[in-house]
Amino acid sequence: MNKKTDKIKVYVPLDTTAVSLGADIVAKKISKLAKENNQEVEIIRNGSWGMFWLEPLVEVEINNERIAYGPVAPEVVEHLFTSKFLEGGNHPLRLGDVQKLPFLQKQTRLCFERVGKIDPVNIEDYKKHNGYTVLEQTFNSSPQHIIEEVKEGQLRGRGGAAFPTWIKLNSTLEAQGDVKYVVCNADEGDSGTFSDRMVAEGDPFSLIEAMTIMGKTTGANEGYIYLRSEYPVAKVCLTKAIEEARKHNYLGKNIMGTGFDFDIHLRIGAGSYVCGEETALINSLEGKRGIVRKKPPLPVHEGLFGKPTILCNLITMVSLLPILRMGGKEYAKFGYERSRGTNPFQLAGNVRYSGIVEVPFGITVQELVTDFGGGTFTGKPIKNIQIGGPLGYHMSPSLFDMPLDYEAFLKIEGHIGHGGVVVMDDTAHLDDLARYAFRFCEIESCGKCTPCRIGSVRGREIMDEIIAGKDRAKNLALIEELCETMEFGSMCAMGGMTPVPVRSALKNFSEEFYQ
Amino acid sequence: MKFLPYKESKAHLIITQHKDVKGGLIVALRDLADTFGYIAPSLFDFIAETFSVSAVEVKGVVTYYHDFKTEKRATNVVQVCMAEACYARGSSEMIEELKNVLNIDIGEKDIHETFEIEPVYCFGNCGTGPTIRINERIFSNINKDNVRAILRNYRMEEEENE
Ligand SMILES: Cc1cc2nc3c(=O)[nH]c(=O)nc-3n(C[C@H](O)[C@H](O)[C@H](O)COP(=O)(O)O)c2cc1C
Ligand code: SF4
Ligand code: FES
């Protein structure tokens, strides 16, 4: 055994965004310079706290307190050593305790409870921070009781469709089948979103624990995680965590001596947006082309390999942990109208303070982008905010006082999607964005329905003409017609909701199209 | 038994490895793409045989997914995010410059096969874009002014980090 007690713990995130800003180089430099100074350090690669303007955010643990410095670009590491940062020394980048920063203080972190805090692939650290307590509880409880709590928590799917999760759990439990599956949708195809990624990188055991609970609840003994290929760091962390969980008998046969068997397979996608749609995802897992299936049958009755399958988004799954720990009633105290609980919103694009904001539903768009986001990164006024990924609604400033609530967005014919909030200033052109919506659909359409497959191409071509200033009035009328055809003639939201960004751009920014 | 060149035998080994995996066809294709960068059409028959499907079906699956290429890749694959959050931070200008510097369009390889540009729709790095990834390494805040330097330095930097 190596004695670790004298080593100074230094946290340097392994998070994709932190790494893209130099965190790997920073970690190497700290090791190297510490060695040269005869200081022993233990570098822990944690998840990100989700404050990207401070990344790479380095924390030093001194007397069980963590002192943060950020943003630590590779060039400033020497400087930090000169300022004796390993002893908590003063430096212009010193931030003190991260958890006291207003950006985090104002949040209600339930899904993100541990992200940033712990060593993501260390099961002991996970257990020290409430990990596996809910699973233990589950073993002493009945499936009906678990489902009842989820029902009281009023959890709705965070992948986009906002369907009550308890109904899916219940249907899978009641479905007849010798074999059942739990499938995690970690395809996170929506641009402007990264909450699945950050949990997978920063707290992968929470997903493993949640999936095990879902298995126990529904009678499934096998789980699959479908992770998009664009997330290599998440792949490493999930792989390692699954191995660790197996090693410690939290996965595999006879988990914790309870007689319950459960194991998880990690599958990596192959670059297809539609594979985030549940039936396409199932096809892909089965080794087929990722095209959308007709429903019914629903996955809960006939899902993966023809067996009853509970398929949920990653954030939906990890939301079970706070719900079951505090009780559904407590959890449902957070939120707004019929949108209960918290959601990790993702502040992206041209925003000064980008990152994760986990708060109860009901916060207004304005509060999110001003109180948390601090306005645009470029300092110009916000022109447009797109909510809910590539199929999301383009909002003009007059709508910014809307609450983030499923029903409120339905009313304007938009949706929250997976909670991505993309901020833009006046360099954004809504005609470009409307064209992009068709173009994206053209690239990603699975090809099953004509309105989606052909309509997207036609839409893009017409938008090209509009942008070139050709026959605007006639072409815009064609776009309206096309949107109607796509909305009603498409089998899934790919074709069916491409009109959302197009129509909202036309409606809220009409001056850009008619001039 | 036929003698196989090394690369082919390695590919066959990879394919065979996933034979008994449920839904193993995609897993095998993924593994091939990760190992070689592409899936040689000459392997389709062997893949088909291994997973008891027709070669046409294999081709159908391969061509469906954007990640599965059937041609050898350039030495450096520059993946560039085309999506909205990066657009919001000025990716359009950067992408124009990237195409100029490499003198190729999105989706193309240069004649020396040194660089290729691959479009990607979001890396989940949407708060600090515009984002590009060159081979294994991801970069934030890429703009029209720094993209040239990154490409030029790229190989040098890689060596330095070894
Ligand atoms: C084109 C398309 C893409 C989708 N992409 C995703 C995705 O990337 N991640 C996700 O969780 N759900 C995605 N969905 C929604 C899923 O079909 C499904 O509703 C969801 O995974 C169910 O989980 P939930 O109830 O936890 O939200 C997509 C749907 C469509 C139509
Ligand atoms: S709407 Fe488009 S993506 Fe969806 S099933 Fe039809 S063709 Fe496929
Ligand atoms: S939109 Fe470019 S990384 Fe997400």
Side-chain angles (χ1 to χ4, degrees), chain A residues 57-260:
Chain A
L57 181 96
V58 175
E59 291 170 88
V60 183
E61 191 171 300
I62 299 162
N63 303 327
N64 290 321
E65 263 181 56
R66 281 158 70 161
I67 296 166
Y69 297 82
V72 180
E75 306 83 73
V76 303
V77 176
E78 279 95 351
H79 210 232
L80 284 179
F81 271 89
T82 320
S83 304
K84 299 206 178 333
F85 86 114
L86 290 179
E87 284 121 68
N90 253 331
H91 188 279
L93 298 181
R94 193 182 193 273
L95 300 162
D97 179 354
V98 261
Q99 295 190 68
K100 298 215 171 89
L101 296 176
F103 193 84
L104 288 181
Q105 286 262 302
K106 288 186 288 184
Q107 301 195 27
T108 308
R109 288 208 161 183
L110 302 180
C111 299
F112 273 71
E113 184 194 351
R114 280 171 291 258
V115 178
K117 215 180 272 181
I118 64 165
D119 178 347
V121 293
N122 181 330
I123 200 163
E124 293 308 323
D125 210 15
Y126 179 68
K127 285 163 73 177
K128 248 187 261 165
H129 292 87
N130 285 331
Y132 278 121
T133 51
V134 183
L135 180 63
E136 262 170 57
Q137 222 174 288
T138 305
F139 284 125
N140 298 320
S141 149
S142 68
Q144 288 74 19
H145 175 78
I146 304 261
I147 292 170
E148 194 52 37
E149 290 293 343
V150 178
K151 185 176 177 184
E152 289 199 332
Q154 297 177 49
L155 176 65
R156 295 163 73 181
R158 306 294 192 233
F163 189 78
T165 306
W166 77 270
I167 297 182
K168 288 211 239 182
L169 283 167
N170 199 49
S171 308
T172 314
L173 170 66
E174 287 177 352
Q176 298 298 317
D178 46 339
V179 177
K180 295 178 187 177
Y181 294 104
V182 178
V183 175
C184 171
N185 190 342
D187 199 48
E188 197 156 68
D190 283 5
S191 39
T193 71
F194 39 80
S195 58
D196 295 349
R197 171 180 73 67
M198 290 185 65
V199 171
E201 292 175 351
D203 191 14
F205 286 114
S206 67
L207 176 60
I208 297 173
E209 180 175 1
M211 286 179 75
T212 313
I213 292 165
M214 294 174 88
K216 178 78 180 107
T217 305
T218 57
N221 301 98
E222 236 178 309
Y224 283 84
I225 301 171
Y226 191 87
L227 178 73
R228 70 199 302 248
S229 61
E230 291 84 349
Y231 288 177
V233 180
K235 177 186 168 186
V236 171
C237 295
L238 285 167
T239 306
K240 183 88 201 295
I242 290 170
E243 275 169 20
E244 284 297 299
R246 282 187 191 138
K247 225 190 277 169
H248 290 82
N249 193 221
Y250 281 102
L251 283 178
K253 296 258 177 259
N254 190 16
I255 290 176
M256 297 156 73
T258 57
F260 177 62

Side-chain angles (χ1 to χ4, degrees), chain B residues 53-141:
Chain B
V53 292
S54 72
V56 179
E57 266 175 89
V58 174
K59 189 175 172 200
V61 174
V62 170
T63 50
Y64 183 79
Y65 294 94
H66 300 306
D67 282 3
F68 297 154
K69 317 284 183 203
T70 50
E71 267 179 48
K72 192 168 176 303
R73 312 300 299 273
T75 317
N76 296 296
V77 178
V78 182
Q79 293 181 314
V80 55
C81 179
M82 311 292 291
E84 296 93 330
C86 286
Y87 170 84
R89 294 172 66 97
S91 67
S92 308
E93 282 184 321
M94 180 273 288
I95 292 168
E96 281 315 305
E97 180 66 7
L98 174 68
K99 294 198 290 194
N100 279 337
V101 174
L102 297 180
N103 201 15
I104 45 175
D105 208 342
I106 306 283
E108 287 182 355
K109 275 194 282 211
D110 64 30
I111 45 165
H112 307 295
E113 306 207 335
T114 317
F115 283 103
E116 91 180 68
I117 308 177
E118 181 184 347
V120 167
Y121 294 84
C122 189
F123 294 96
N125 189 53
C126 326
T128 55
T131 309
I132 65 172
R133 181 184 276 143
I134 308 181
N135 307 332
E136 304 287 294
R137 185 155 167 208
I138 187 162
F139 297 88
S140 276
N141 295 317

Side-chain angles (χ1 to χ4, degrees), chain A residues 38 114 199 254 281 284 318 334 397 420 498:
Chain A
N38 288 320
R114 280 171 291 258
V199 171
N254 190 16
L281 190 155
S284 187
V318 298
F334 296 109
T498 290

Side-chain angles (χ1 to χ4, degrees), chain A residues 191 365 383-400 402 409 412-415 422-424 428-438 497-509 513, chain B residues 84-85 87-88:
Chain A
S191 39
V365 176
K383 173 178 179 178
N384 164 36
I385 297 177
Q386 187 180 23
I387 308 258
L391 307 173
Y393 190 94
H394 289 291
M395 304 178 98
S396 53
S398 64
L399 294 167
F400 292 172
M402 267 185 51
F409 271 77
I412 59 165
E413 294 181 338
H415 55 89
V422 174
V423 180
M424 311 194 198
H429 299 292
L430 275 295
D431 49 1
D432 278 352
L433 289 161
R435 179 195 184 274
Y436 175 85
F438 284 120
M497 291 197 334
T498 290
V500 172
V502 175
R503 282 178 176 150
S504 54
L506 279 167
K507 179 167 176 219
N508 299 325
F509 301 89
F513 294 85
Chain B
E84 296 93 330
Y87 170 84

